[in-house]
Amino acid sequence: MSVPDTAVPAPQHAVLLVRDAVPADYPAIRDVVSAAYRQYADLITHDIFSPYLADVLDLEAHARHGRLFVVEVDERIRGFAAFHPDATVQGVGFPPGWASGRALAVHPSARGHGARALLATGERIAREAGAPVFAFHTHSYMTGAISLYERLGYRRAPELDFNLAARYSRFDAAPIMSFAYLRHLTPVLACA
């Protein structure tokens, strides 16, 4: 079952909006991503975390491969996600034809206001593009994200997991698993 675009009931005092990002948003997006990912900086070694975060913050590359979305809460950017209509551009083993999400981040002060809406937007865009699957990865140390994805009914796809440490470290680091999650999408029916 897919999450509808209205899956996040914002508090009565907050106004939540998901929209396409524009280059003028990039500084605010980088602030949100940095704040959201800061909690992980001490959980993995610097030689892995730094290049991983630099990759996540490469908004120009994400924009070349797809669309960038932000969540505004009360007219402030509080969340971000990249959408790739061709999941193979990530180079992490997703099959051709699938769509994927990347770099989902919600500012710590706005948790509960955006992740579901960003995921629903990614699913909707993937469905409209005719992708049969919307997929993404999260890392083993991102336990809050794992809980959210499982509550929302995303299915684990361990056959598509990869070792984050091997991808980003220059050294022989202990494995850090990046877990694949996916949802099979129902096609958009054309109105006759």
Side-chain angles (χ1 to χ4, degrees), residues 111-187:
R111 294 271 156 82
H113 305 290
R116 287 179 179 97
L118 287 164
L119 289 165
T121 299
E123 282 187 34
R124 180 178 51 81
I125 301 298
R127 191 177 290 109
E128 289 170 358
V133 173
F134 178 66
F136 52 87
H137 283 93
T138 194
H139 308 300
S140 56
Y141 54 85
M142 296 181 171
T143 56
I146 290 168
S147 294
L148 173 66
Y149 302 144
E150 290 177 355
R151 278 193 316 271
L152 293 176
Y154 285 94
R155 184 177 71 77
R156 278 279 290 117
E159 68 279 10
L160 297 169
D161 291 354
F162 71 90
N163 180 353
L164 181 75
R167 184 177 176 106
Y168 290 102
S169 180
R170 294 171 296 156
F171 309 105
D172 189 22
I176 300 170
M177 294 313 295
S178 187
F179 297 153
Y181 281 87
L182 60 83
R183 184 181 316 272
H184 291 275
L185 304 174
T186 56

